[in-house]
Amino acid sequence: MSAALDMEPEEFRQAGYRVIDWITDYLANPEQFPVLPSVTPGDFSALLPKLPPQDGEPIGRILDDFERLIPQASTHWNHPGFFAYFSISASGAGVLAEALTAAMNINAMLWRTGPAATELEEITLSWLAELTGLPPGLDGTINDTASSSTLYALAAARENAGLSVREHGLAGRGDVPRLRVYCSEEAHSSVDKAVLTLGLGMDGVRRIATDDAFRMDADALAVAIAEDRAAGIRPIAVVATVGTTSTTSIDPVRAIASLCEQEGIWLHVDAAYGGSAAVVPEMRDVLDGCQYADSIVLNPHKWLFVPIDCSVLYTRRPDILRRAFSLVPEYLVTPDGARNLMDYGVSLGRRFRALKLWFVLRYFGGIGLADRIREHLRLAQLFAVWIQEDGRFELVAPVPFSTVVFRLKPPGVTDEAALESLNSALLQGINASGDVFLSHTKVKGRYALRLAIGNVRTTEQHVAAALQIARHVADRLEYSASAAH
């Protein structure tokens, strides 16, 4: 091993060539590994030494072990057959940007510690707003995930309530009523987690009933707010969703926004998944009403081919968001008067996340992004048609985006417990194939499978393969059931 302080340039260059070659082969042939590894908990750790290394090792040996151990024990989110959760993918442009981000290793906490990072974040987020039809003038910051963005938005809502929580907290105060945040039955669990973190407790979330299309009932919301006010509970925020996790439903944001304005309540819109579809011009209406929201989250790492993590929080009220979080010790006071990203969230350290978004937006362009998402929308509709044509399956929810929620429901089988057992076995059989990976959910108590299309490399061939695997497993399950009788 070299006695140099760090890797010698030529050693780095050769290792770098090898890494790029591996990445190139991996992205060119993402199906070379099963989408789900054949491992059980503890299998991977059993292959590693129990004690840390004392002497350094050659980088070549480390790369050998990476190639031998890591891919085989990984779930491959970049696999075109990854249809579980919300499928994500790292595009080539984003991967290259991540490498440059790591090399520069910028902490953009202050403008002076990252002038380009700070200003590029502003520029790229203005581009993204333009591409999705959001109004000009929104203030945006990039966080790690939508969970953080929603937490920050609800912290701003709490600050906006004028309760002096920043100064006096919540504990031991008799002058602060119970506080409440509203969301639909279908809203993401990150809302609950944010409310827990903010000290409002699980009782601080009230979930509102949904209609037949799994959208929040705005009239039921109005009733809930009135009931809570009458009971002495203080409403502080509503979270509407554009693309819920289970069913990808779209809440009536415009109607909810009108109610929030009347009631003086902060409106946060979770468009982490569905908001990306608005880059397709004919899909712009999915964000209808969002121009009236106080804050909105959109995740480029979900459906815009940016490597995780890249979650954008927009707000019309940056002063409130900053007031909720800004805390500047003397050693971070600077004379330039510039905007400092550290003032808009919990993290002092901030990665240069805007670089990968800049690369991806420039590489694909608005037209290229729209073309790819439009194709994903088409594939989802096609899969939905195929499911309906097979009399054994049924759709469990509408398909407004690129996620299809369905289940196996053979003629004559109506018992929900039996259907859950059957579909659980179906999911297990599909995922055991190694070619596709689906997830499940429950919709109004009904167990269902989710096929989420969002990978930049997914084609009609991959979607057709998922259908064929599902049919094959269903055939096997039906045969086993008939044989048992």
Side-chain angles (χ1 to χ4, degrees):
M1 290 292 292
S2 170
L5 295 176
D6 192 16
M7 193 179 296
E8 293 283 4
E10 191 55 34
E11 182 186 10
F12 182 88
R13 189 185 311 278
Q14 294 304 315
Y17 287 153
R18 178 173 171 182
V19 168
I20 288 296
D21 284 344
W22 189 91
I23 293 173
T24 301
D25 292 341
Y26 180 69
L27 296 182
N29 184 20
E31 297 168 82
Q32 61 188 285
F33 302 106
V35 62
L36 274 177
S38 298
V39 294
T40 57
D43 286 352
F44 175 73
S45 57
L47 301 174
L48 302 179
K50 296 297 182 280
L51 298 176
Q54 296 300 315
D55 295 318
E57 300 179 63
I59 189 65
R61 185 187 303 166
I62 299 170
L63 289 174
D64 287 343
D65 284 347
F66 166 81
E67 294 178 5
R68 180 174 60 89
L69 297 172
I70 303 299
Q72 288 78 3
S74 295
T75 299
H76 291 277
W77 289 71
N78 255 8
H79 192 293
F82 188 106
F83 298 117
Y85 312 111
F86 284 130
S87 179
I88 63 174
S89 57
S91 61
V95 170
L96 292 174
E98 283 281 36
L100 294 172
T101 297
M104 296 187 74
N105 200 35
I106 289 169
N107 179 356
M109 56 184 183
L110 303 168
W111 176 87
R112 73 184 302 174
T113 65
T118 300
E119 296 184 23
L120 191 63
E121 190 157 318
E122 295 175 359
I123 292 297
T124 55
L125 297 193
S126 69
W127 288 1
L128 183 61
E130 174 70 22
L131 289 170
T132 54
L134 289 172
L138 289 175
D139 187 272
T141 50
I142 302 178
N143 300 306
D144 51 3
T145 65
S147 295
S148 295
S149 292
T150 294
L151 171 64
Y152 298 163
L154 294 183
R158 189 182 65 177
E159 181 67 24
N160 187 58
L163 302 170
S164 300
V165 174
R166 177 186 172 95
E167 293 80 12
H168 307 302
L170 291 173
R173 293 180 60 184
D175 60 328
V176 177
R178 290 169 59 195
L179 306 178
R180 184 148 285 166
V181 173
Y182 306 84
C183 60
S184 87
E185 297 171 328
E186 297 292 325
H188 194 268
S189 60
S190 59
V191 178
D192 305 81
K193 189 168 286 190
V195 169
L196 282 173
T197 304
L198 293 171
L200 309 186
M202 289 299 292
D203 287 342
V205 177
R206 182 164 178 175
R207 289 187 172 265
I208 306 301
T210 56
D211 62 16
D212 292 341
F214 312 106
R215 302 168 298 197
M216 186 191 296
D217 185 330
D219 292 334
L221 172 63
V223 170
I225 292 171
E227 289 177 348
D228 283 350
R229 288 199 189 279
I233 298 171
R234 175 78 180 272
I236 63 168
V238 175
V239 179
T241 309
V242 176
T244 56
T245 302
S246 287
T247 62
T248 68
S249 54
I250 305 170
D251 288 337
V253 177
R254 183 177 287 270
I256 294 170
S258 178
L259 177 62
C260 287
E261 184 177 9
Q262 294 170 24
E263 296 284 346
I265 301 173
W266 186 283
L267 173 59
H268 175 63
V269 177
D270 177 0
Y273 166 64
S276 295
V279 302
V280 180
E282 59 268 28
M283 292 290 290
R284 286 281 171 84
D285 60 349
V286 302
L287 294 181
D288 179 54
C290 290
Q291 64 268 37
Y292 305 116
D294 296 285
S295 55
I296 177 171
V297 57
L298 190 156
N299 280 9
H301 71 229
K302 269 195 169 70
W303 200 9
L304 286 178
F305 322 127
V306 177
I308 197 169
D309 50 3
C310 184
S311 175
V312 175
L313 177 63
Y314 287 113
T315 181
R316 292 191 298 125
R317 311 285 298 280
D319 55 324
I320 303 296
L321 182 63
R322 188 177 186 280
R323 196 167 74 208
F325 290 106
S326 181
L327 183 65
V328 186
E330 181 60 33
Y331 51 81
L332 294 179
V333 173
T334 59
D336 46 56
R339 180 175 186 260
N340 296 318
L341 296 176
M342 70 173 188
D343 291 334
Y344 298 89
V346 170
S347 299
L348 176 61
R350 296 187 66 93
R351 295 181 63 237
F352 190 179
R353 295 188 180 97
L355 190 66
K356 57 189 174 184
L357 180 58
W358 188 54
F359 269 48
V360 170
L361 293 181
R362 291 188 62 190
Y363 183 79
F364 291 109
I367 293 173
L369 291 172
D371 286 345
R372 286 159 179 80
I373 289 182
R374 189 181 290 113
E375 174 64 4
H376 291 167
L377 296 168
R378 184 190 74 84
L379 292 176
Q381 292 298 324
L382 185 61
F383 186 82
V385 169
W386 289 341
I387 284 295
Q388 291 171 297
E389 289 176 345
D390 188 317
R392 299 171 298 172
F393 294 95
E394 69 171 2
L395 291 180
V396 179
V399 187
F401 295 111
S402 64
T403 298
V404 184
V405 186
F406 69 101
R407 67 174 178 171
L408 178 62
K409 190 177 185 297
V413 181
T414 58
D415 180 72
E416 285 298 329
L419 286 169
E420 178 169 339
S421 178
L422 180 65
N423 279 278
S424 177
L426 175 65
L427 180 65
Q428 184 176 355
I430 291 171
N431 289 343
S433 71
D435 294 322
V436 296
F437 178 26
L438 274 60
S439 60
H440 82 280
T441 189
K442 283 193 175 180
V443 181
K444 302 287 189 181
R446 295 175 294 169
Y447 186 101
L449 279 60
R450 295 174 68 260
L451 179 137
I453 302 166
N455 191 293
V456 70
R457 300 170 189 88
T458 296
T459 67
E460 184 174 324
Q461 178 182 352
H462 298 107
V463 177
L467 178 71
Q468 290 304 114
I469 293 169
R471 284 174 170 168
H472 176 72
V473 176
D475 290 343
R476 191 172 69 240
L477 292 172
E478 289 181 339
Y479 174 78
S480 298
S482 62
H485 289 83

